[in-house]
Amino acid sequence: MTTTLILQMIVAAVIAAIMYTIIGAAPGADETATIAPITLVLVLSGLHPAVILTFFISAIVACKLIDAVPVSTAGIPAGVMSTPMVEHAMVLKKFGLTDTSIRKIASGAVVGTFVSVPVSLFLARALVPFSTVIKQYGDPVFFIGAVLLALMSKNRWVALASILPFALLIQGLRHLYWGIGAVPKGTNVFTSFFLAITIGPVILTLFELLNKEKRESMKRFDKKSIYLKKAQEIGKFPNPFRILTKKEIVYSTMASLIGSVAFILSPVGLTTFFGELFASRTKDPVEKASLAISTMEALAQATYFSGTLIPLIALGIPLSPMSLGPANPLFNAPPVFTLQHNMHHILSGLDFISATLIGAAIASAFTYFVAVKYSQQICAFVFKKIPHEALLGLFFSLVLLLAFMDAGWINIAGVLLIGIVAGVLYRLGVNYGVLFMILYSAPWIIKTLAG
Amino acid sequence: MKSTYTEIKESPKGKDSKMNIEVWEDLVNIKDLVISLIVCSVMALGGYFLAPNKPPKPLFFGLSGAILGFVICSIFIKPNRIFIETEQED
């Protein structure tokens, strides 16, 4: 590893930390939709994989840590992962403890990072022998994964029923592209289909807007009022480990351990379940709420790390909700990365460790500092200056661009089609994990069906 | 006379004043959304096609175009949020 590479990694981590401190504070900024497209572009641009991994790690840390600000100050979740925390953060806000809330969440995030980075790296090493067993099954692994994720989800029957039809749609389009020569035969269009699923619900809404009756029957709202209490000035800069009580540190550490081991399960499900479980035994409302938010945040960070690092280092195939979602471009972004040739195969153990440490350390330090010190200013800036329309426009245009690069003009229609279907399925209760697993298993499913 | 003017300006109240719909957990104005989608898409694809045809330049130009589009939209579109800062907590 050269000095230039390390410098590049540091620059990437700083850029990601700044970028995602802003994007992460915006309401409704889903992790997959905000992090995956940018990571994809970086992968396709041919940057060194270690630099991209550093960028990614820094992005997830910053994106999650900064949640503390909108959740605590305005009670608005900044993404799916922070939704379970809102209720508890609001308790603290009611007691006039907005500052405490931000600091507890931010400190929880630091604890989660501290615990889960070494644990994930260790677990990944320990799992390497099993990886050959898992890989022997090769293609059917994703099909089994799709079925398992479907069975574990809330709406299991609709999820199960959608596996075959959705696989048919994906493979059908690929065969069409081969047939008309949009891409060479055997090239599986992947990136743009993946993004189409990610923004499926938005594409569906956009199409509904084109229907006059639908448009007129849509719920109309006036402007959204956001109330923000002025926070106190900070005198001395707080040490994250001093902010939490002993009990909170113990519980956050335990939660991070559980989150790291259970990397294959849904992060949101884990966060809600263990956060509520740990907090339920405390009676005092303030104590309970701060225990809940710090534990949840620690656990969320831990599932982020373990869900990314363990499959990446040990397996090289995306087998966790995290690696199927935001971290997907690290596994599969043809033509740069494929399942046979990705970061797992390219990077050395030292690369993984240094990328993770640089990314995590820079983002934690930067975003922790900013969240604790400038929460007011960030909230005001994002809520007043960044229109939701512009964010949607940015992601939509990135999807269009990558769709065109994947297979030409025809693929823009193909991506819209997949987006509409994925959006409908998502609304019916099929979660992203199942849809992504189907995307991976589609070639095998169709080959098996055809006999 | 002046007051009548202001009244006329404010008149389309009631149902029509609520122009925003919810997309992805936040409110958007349909007209602004359409403008933003078009601006960002044109900038992204425009950047891609105008770039020198040597990879990865088209991709970088496309990305820069998309981000430039985002900045332009952020300047011209007002977010549909009313931001109310309340006084110090008690």
Side-chain angles (χ1 to χ4, degrees), chain B:
Chain B
M1 271 300 139
K2 222 178 171 186
S3 63
T4 0
Y5 258 103
T6 30
E7 266 169 37
I8 292 167
K9 270 186 181 168
E10 287 174 351
S11 66
K13 272 265 163 161
K15 218 181 163 189
D16 289 345
S17 74
K18 294 184 174 184
M19 281 305 293
N20 305 318
I21 58 156
E22 191 169 22
V23 182
W24 238 8
E25 290 172 41
D26 203 0
L27 301 181
V28 295
N29 177 298
I30 298 177
K31 208 181 100 202
D32 288 343
L33 178 63
V34 173
I35 293 173
S36 163
L37 290 178
I38 293 173
V39 169
C40 290
S41 305
V42 168
M43 296 292 289
L45 289 173
Y48 181 84
F49 288 117
L50 287 179
N53 198 7
K54 227 167 67 199
K57 275 193 181 145
L59 184 62
F60 272 128
F61 275 64
L63 180 67
S64 315
I67 291 175
L68 204 63
F70 169 77
V71 173
I72 294 174
C73 292
S74 298
I75 294 170
F76 289 104
I77 298 171
K78 282 238 148 33
N80 300 302
R81 311 180 190 111
I82 301 175
F83 196 70
I84 304 154
E85 280 181 79
T86 49
E87 270 313 301
Q88 193 78 261
E89 295 164 349
D90 28 38

